[in-house]
Amino acid sequence: MGNVDRRIIYVVMILVVVYAFVKPMGLPITISQHTKNAYNAIDSLPAGSTLVIGFDFSAGGIPELEPAAKAIFYQCMKNNVKIVMMGMWVMAGDMAERVLTEMEPLFPNKTYGVDYVNIGYKPGNALLLERAVDDIIGAALDIDHRGNKMSTLPIFQEFKSLKDADFWVCLSTGNPGVPDWIKIVGDPLKIPGTTDVVSVSIPENMPFVQSGQLTGIIQGMRGASEYELLVNRPGRAVAGMDAQSLSHVVILLFIALGNISFLMGKKKTG
C-alpha cells in the first residue's frame, strides 16, 4: 500500500461520495428526540394554520439548512398548513426561491400567494421582526420577493402580522437569528418555534431547547437527514450522511490495508 499512488485513493473517495449523492441508500440513522419534537410540533398544526420560516442564512448554510427547509415545506403542504417565508439576511429571498424551485412542481394544487409566499429579505435586522409583529405588509413595504403587492395576495387577508403565526422556524447560521426570534416573537407572543442551525452553532442554541424556548432543534445536516426520514422523503441530507458514512468506511479500509501491508513487509524483511 505504501507504493499506491495517492491519486487512486482520492479517486476512490470521489467515486464513493458521488455515488452516495446520486443514489442515496438511506443508511441507518437514529432519529433524535430533539428532531422528533420539532417534527411533531409542526405535524400537529391544524389545517389552515400558518407557519413562518425565517431564512436567516447565506449560501454557506445551504448544505446543512436547505434540506430541512424543503422537508418542512413538504410536510406543511401535505398537511394544508400555509407558509410565509421571510428573512433578516440579504440572501433570504434567494434561499427561499431555491426551495420553491424544487418543491412547487410537487404541489400543482397549491397556489403562490394563497398557500405560501416568499416575502424575502427586508432591511432592518431585528427591527424587521419588531415591525412585522404589528404589520407584516408595512414591515415589508408591501412588496414580496417576486415583486407582487402583498396587499393583493389572499394569504395576507388573514395573516396581518406575526401575531397571526401559529409556529415559526428560524434557519440560522448566525446573527441576526434565533435569539431575535425568541426575544421578539417566541417569548412575548407565546408563539412556539424551533430552529435548524449549522453544526457549530448547536451548543450555543441548546440552552434555548432546555429552557423550553425552542420546541426541539434540528441539528445541522444530521438533523435535516432525520427530518427527511420523518417526512418519508430522503433527499440531500440523507445523501450527505451516506456520503460521510461511506467515506469513513473507505478511510478505515485504507488504514487497515496499509497496516496489513506494513506488517507483511516487516515480516518478509525479518
Side-chain angles (χ1 to χ4, degrees), residues 49-119:
S49 300
T50 302
L51 180 143
V52 180
I53 302 181
F55 283 77
D56 298 315
F57 66 96
S58 56
I62 288 174
E64 295 193 77
L65 305 183
E66 185 176 272
K70 292 177 180 178
I72 291 171
F73 185 93
Y74 183 85
Q75 178 186 19
C76 288
M77 291 299 103
K78 283 281 189 180
N79 293 344
N80 295 315
V81 171
K82 299 178 181 181
I83 289 183
V84 174
M85 301 171 166
M86 59 185 294
M88 296 177 283
W89 284 48
V90 175
M91 296 186 71
D94 297 325
M95 296 299 99
E97 283 299 319
R98 284 179 55 91
V99 172
L100 293 177
T101 297
E102 179 177 329
M103 304 308 294
E104 278 182 312
L106 301 179
F107 298 96
N109 60 322
K110 300 297 183 182
T111 305
Y112 183 89
V114 176
D115 303 292
Y116 58 91
V117 67
N118 177 15
I119 295 176

Side-chain angles (χ1 to χ4, degrees), residues 157-264:
Q157 298 306 305
E158 295 183 2
F159 190 81
K160 302 290 187 179
S161 76
L162 289 179
K163 293 175 184 175
D164 297 321
D166 297 288
F167 199 87
W168 57 267
V169 179
C170 176
L171 308 174
S172 173
T173 54
N175 182 43
V178 180
D180 300 292
W181 280 91
I182 292 174
K183 180 176 64 177
I184 299 169
V185 181
D187 286 352
L189 302 182
K190 306 301 180 186
I191 299 174
T194 192
T195 184
D196 181 12
V197 294
V198 290
S199 298
V200 296
S201 297
I202 294 171
E204 65 189 70
N205 286 284
M206 196 57 72
F208 298 131
V209 181
Q210 297 166 342
S211 66
Q213 292 169 291
L214 286 176
T215 305
I217 184 173
I218 306 168
Q219 303 176 65
M221 183 182 291
R222 170 59 190 258
S225 68
E226 296 170 6
Y227 212 101
E228 288 180 341
L229 294 177
L230 286 170
V231 300
N232 198 29
R233 189 175 183 271
R236 285 282 180 175
V238 169
M241 294 306 296
D242 283 349
Q244 189 178 96
S245 298
L246 286 178
S247 62
H248 289 168
V249 170
V250 170
I251 290 171
L252 290 173
L253 285 175
F254 276 120
I255 290 174
L257 290 173
N259 280 288
I260 292 172
S261 175
F262 171 77
L263 292 173
M264 290 180 65

